[in-house]
Amino acid sequence: MSKLKKTNAARILDKLKIPYEIKTYEVDENDLSAIHVAETAGLDVSTVFKTLVTRGDKTGILMAVIGGADEINLKNLAKASGNKSVEMIALKELLPLTGYIRGGCSPLGAKKDYPVYLDSHALTHEKISISAGQRGMQLILSPQDLVKATNATVADLI
């Protein structure tokens, strides 16, 4: 088996001495959903978290990390982030803003250090899975370590 190429997200965790596992899976270009990732990677869907990139009317770009099967409540995110309103960014903005593509967006290692908001449900799990920053690769780590690595604010986002 070929040695995995480390992503920026993994290198950040290494630098912070935060333990994690890398889980690879087969990518289906037609289904990039976190639910499909969980099924393909053999992970419990409740532990697979997706990163959504949003824009607040006052603060600008924010990253929200929520359960893969959940829908974000933008009003809750706005309240947690001190915005009046928050909206999803257009898909065409994802790569220029973050350096990531759809299905491979990580809250770690984006082009800029955007504020990260983690849904409070993450803390009910011993380990969660987030994108490693490329399709076909997940990072498995404790939610507390993700908070530490991203300086995330924990809030009810769903």
Side-chain angles (χ1 to χ4, degrees):
M1 187 167 152
S2 65
K3 184 155 169 32
L4 291 175
K5 186 177 172 295
K6 284 230 169 137
T7 63
N8 283 342
R11 282 193 282 277
I12 289 167
L13 294 176
D14 288 343
K15 196 168 148 192
L16 296 171
K17 297 187 176 11
I18 290 176
Y20 63 93
E21 291 170 56
I22 292 178
K23 181 87 172 177
T24 58
Y25 61 93
E26 203 62 42
V27 177
D28 178 352
E29 297 287 334
N30 298 315
D31 188 352
L32 298 171
S33 72
I35 295 167
H36 183 76
V37 168
E39 289 167 357
T40 310
L43 298 167
D44 178 344
V45 72
S46 72
T47 66
V48 176
F49 281 68
K50 60 188 172 188
T51 304
L52 303 175
V53 182
T54 63
R55 180 178 282 113
D57 65 329
K58 293 184 176 145
T59 60
I61 301 301
L62 311 164
M63 290 183 149
V65 182
I66 65 168
D70 295 325
E71 291 292 321
I72 189 159
N73 181 321
L74 293 171
K75 284 188 171 83
N76 287 0
L77 178 58
K79 187 177 171 193
S81 61
N83 286 285
K84 235 183 216 138
S85 66
V86 172
E87 62 185 19
M88 296 295 295
I89 63 160
L91 186 56
K92 67 177 191 271
E93 293 182 276
L94 184 62
L95 183 61
L97 285 171
T98 66
Y100 291 131
I101 58 172
R102 182 170 169 261
C105 185
S106 178
L108 288 162
K111 279 185 173 179
K112 289 185 178 167
D113 276 339
Y114 296 116
V116 174
Y117 291 82
L118 177 64
D119 183 58
S120 58
H121 288 85
L123 300 183
T124 65
H125 299 286
E126 193 179 317
K127 301 264 186 202
I128 61 169
S129 165
I130 60 166
S131 174
Q134 71 182 51
R135 290 178 182 169
M137 193 182 285
Q138 291 287 109
L139 294 173
I140 299 170
L141 72 167
S142 85
Q144 291 83 359
D145 282 342
L146 180 61
V147 169
K148 193 163 70 176
T150 60
N151 198 22
T153 301
V154 177
D156 291 327
L157 302 179
I158 55 174

